Amino acid sequence: MSRGLVLLVNPNKVHPPIAPYALDVLTTSLEAADFEVEVLDLTFHREDWKSFLAEYFTERDPMLVGVTVRNTDTVYAFEQRPFVGEHKEIITEIKRLTDAPVIGGGIGFSTMPFALVDYFGIDYGVKGPGERIICDLADALLTGRDPGTVPGLLRNTGAGVVRVPPAVLTARHGTPVVPLATGQFEPRVWQVDGTASYVRRSGAAYKVDNLMYYRRGGLGSILTKNGCTYRCSHCVEPDAKGTSFGQRAVGAVVDEMESLAAQGILDQHTTDSEFNLSIGHAKNVLREIVRRKHADRGNPLNELRLWVYCQPSPFDEEFAELLAAAGCRGVNVGSDHVRPEMLSGWKVTAKGTVYYDFADTERLVRLCARHGILTMVEALFGMPGETPETMRACVEAFMALDATVTGFSLGLRLFPYTPMGMAMAAECDGVRTIPGLQSNTATGPIVLKPLAKCSGPAEYERQFMFDEHGDFRLVCYFSPGLPADEAAAGDPSARWGPSVDLLWDLVDPADYHRVMLPTLGGSSENDNNYADNPFLTGLVGLGYTGAFWSHWREREEIMRRIKDGGMAEHADA
């Protein structure tokens, strides 16, 4: 018998649609705790979402409503499009329709959870994985227990947003960690259910419809571990997901992959921070896939097309062989740069040491090519110290790799708890701006304050998304060593136009078919901005599946067919 109804809402309206994996995770845990769980997915109700909500709450009375925030914005420096305004509109309507308390979570939410609990005006929030915390909260609400007894829970109180501290935590090698009030840079393994095989459904009412997402988005998702032990200066994940690897049981992961494949979801992409960090565990997952494929030729895993995120190292011959044997079609590698002076202090371990060099990227591309695996190599320009010379060196080296596709991005979105975001706030110190800080909607110099000079974490986090008037002002950074148009000071979005032009000029036009380049316009068929990208939406409309970059070299032909309204006869990766 159900202990009560919990409603989970996906407010994400971005297309091509990405399945809200987090809601499958939460559903699995809540159902195991004997709660009834329903999902309202607004991704496929972009226009009629208000009536969709109203109809639901006319018939249902949940005891708790959970809302997932996958992304706060596009994280694309040339577009700077926030999503949280739309999310607030949806949450406000939910609160109008029900008296049930609302809890927020998700990876985007976890980048600034105190500010978003306050901005959304919701009761609770979770930083990091939420499956254990939401079950504990649901139990507290059901039994009348004080929610202040739920470890890790953010609560919206009369004194502001506060976090219930967890017990003393244990980091790697058994080192005790005293929790901070903000919960920043904690090991969050205790928040993860590492043994459960998350239940993935298709076609069930009021659940995530994974097959529909696959048919309309081209990929399924799979998680093998949570968190990251590394400390790259621009990355949110060690703080938002946790500083230790919360590895899932190998059998549970592969059971889930097999279930998805049996439902017809054959292209599956890892959602780990990076699949090959903690490479021993990754190899064991691949070995189990291979074992099941060999043991039963009728196993749906024999049709698996796997796509993975990786770092250049560790990546050895055995790993490449296992990837190929498991059915891996493509590796997306975040090399980011080639110059050692750029990577130093940027792509680093928790101890601050660089963990790869360009030779590792060269070896990865070579190994993948040998085993018939496609590669996308990505560079990120604009970090402190970037100049036309460093950019030129990187472009030349990356293009010489002859990867399937090379992606170049320019500019960085800053978040509160990335090492770079914290360093910029400390350098501003609340009294000065820093050359390179930029926002398309800023009405004056951007002056950040460090956490110690703020009234609390909500104020500190808020300044990375809003200005002092409460208007959106997403903070980005472009190295002041890059060429800029000083005459475009009144049009911040055009200020870095000369750097974009330089980047295009550095690439031989004969190679444009195998490279992604930034565009000032934001969402364009020529760039790698995901949200509502015309190439991507057209691609899935024609029936293509797999990582979108794997079709990039045929972009012109595909765009012609999109414009002609053609349909794919047979399109898979």
Side-chain angles (χ1 to χ4, degrees), residues 56-79:
Y56 177 86
F57 284 105
T58 298
E59 301 174 354
R60 302 289 205 280
D61 186 21
M63 59 175 288
L64 176 65
V65 178
V67 179
T68 183
V69 177
R70 184 179 186 273
N71 296 104
T72 59
D73 54 89
T74 57
V75 198
Y76 191 72
F78 283 114
E79 186 179 32

Side-chain angles (χ1 to χ4, degrees), residues 258 288-304:
E258 187 174 330
E288 179 61 12
I289 295 170
V290 174
R291 186 193 69 78
R292 295 192 192 191
K293 290 173 67 172
H294 290 172
D296 178 8
R297 292 299 177 184
N299 191 306
L301 288 173
N302 283 285
E303 299 181 73
L304 174 68

Side-chain angles (χ1 to χ4, degrees), residues 222-444:
I222 190 71
L223 178 73
T224 76
K225 62 184 178 300
N226 255 297
C228 184
T229 64
Y230 292 65
R231 201 63 61 87
C232 299
S233 64
H234 65 302
C235 185
V236 302
E237 299 208 356
D239 173 67
K241 290 185 174 181
T243 56
S244 296
F245 289 125
Q247 298 174 347
R248 297 183 58 206
V250 168
V253 171
V254 183
D255 283 348
E256 192 178 334
M257 298 176 77
E258 187 174 330
S259 170
L260 287 171
Q263 294 171 56
I265 302 166
L266 303 178
D267 294 271
Q268 300 178 27
H269 205 307
T270 57
T271 63
D272 304 24
S273 296
E274 306 287 349
F275 182 55
N276 63 325
L277 302 183
S278 189
I279 194 167
H281 182 259
K283 287 181 177 180
N284 286 336
V285 169
L286 296 172
R287 290 188 184 106
E288 179 61 12
I289 295 170
V290 174
R291 186 193 69 78
R292 295 192 192 191
K293 290 173 67 172
H294 290 172
D296 178 8
R297 292 299 177 184
N299 191 306
L301 288 173
N302 283 285
E303 299 181 73
L304 174 68
R305 296 185 288 267
L306 182 63
W307 306 84
V308 299
Y309 289 121
C310 283
Q311 285 294 301
S313 179
F315 200 105
D316 56 23
E317 177 74 41
E318 181 187 38
F319 189 58
E321 290 175 354
L322 285 169
L323 283 170
C328 181
R329 291 296 183 90
V331 173
N332 186 331
V333 56
S335 297
D336 288 336
H337 218 284
V338 63
R339 295 284 286 263
E341 72 271 23
M342 293 298 300
L343 294 174
S344 178
W346 173 9
K347 299 301 288 291
V348 296
T349 66
K351 294 183 178 180
T353 58
V354 178
Y355 57 95
Y356 66 85
D357 58 25
F358 190 61
D360 294 308
T361 299
E362 293 175 313
R363 180 169 51 254
L364 182 150
V365 173
R366 186 168 59 248
L367 284 171
C368 286
R370 185 184 304 164
H371 290 280
I373 299 172
L374 305 177
T375 49
M376 177 174 174
V377 181
E378 295 191 83
L380 178 57
F381 297 124
M383 288 288 290
E386 193 81 79
T387 65
E389 290 71 30
T390 62
M391 196 157 69
R392 178 178 292 106
C394 189
V395 170
E396 290 175 354
F398 274 45
M399 296 307 296
L401 289 169
D402 197 26
T404 309
V405 179
T406 303
F408 294 124
S409 297
L410 179 62
L412 299 98
R413 170 78 166 95
L414 296 186
F415 286 92
Y417 301 113
T418 61
M420 186 176 176
M422 292 187 294
M424 293 290 175
E427 190 173 347
C428 286
D429 201 31
V431 296
R432 66 185 69 87
T433 191
I434 299 173
L437 288 181
Q438 184 268 343
S439 177
N440 289 350
T441 58
T443 57

Side-chain angles (χ1 to χ4, degrees), residues 496-517:
W496 299 102
S499 290
V500 175
D501 293 340
L502 171 62
L503 189 48
W504 279 79
D505 290 342
L506 290 174
V507 177
D508 188 330
D511 288 324
Y512 282 169
H513 70 288
R514 65 183 182 98
V515 65
M516 295 178 183
L517 290 162

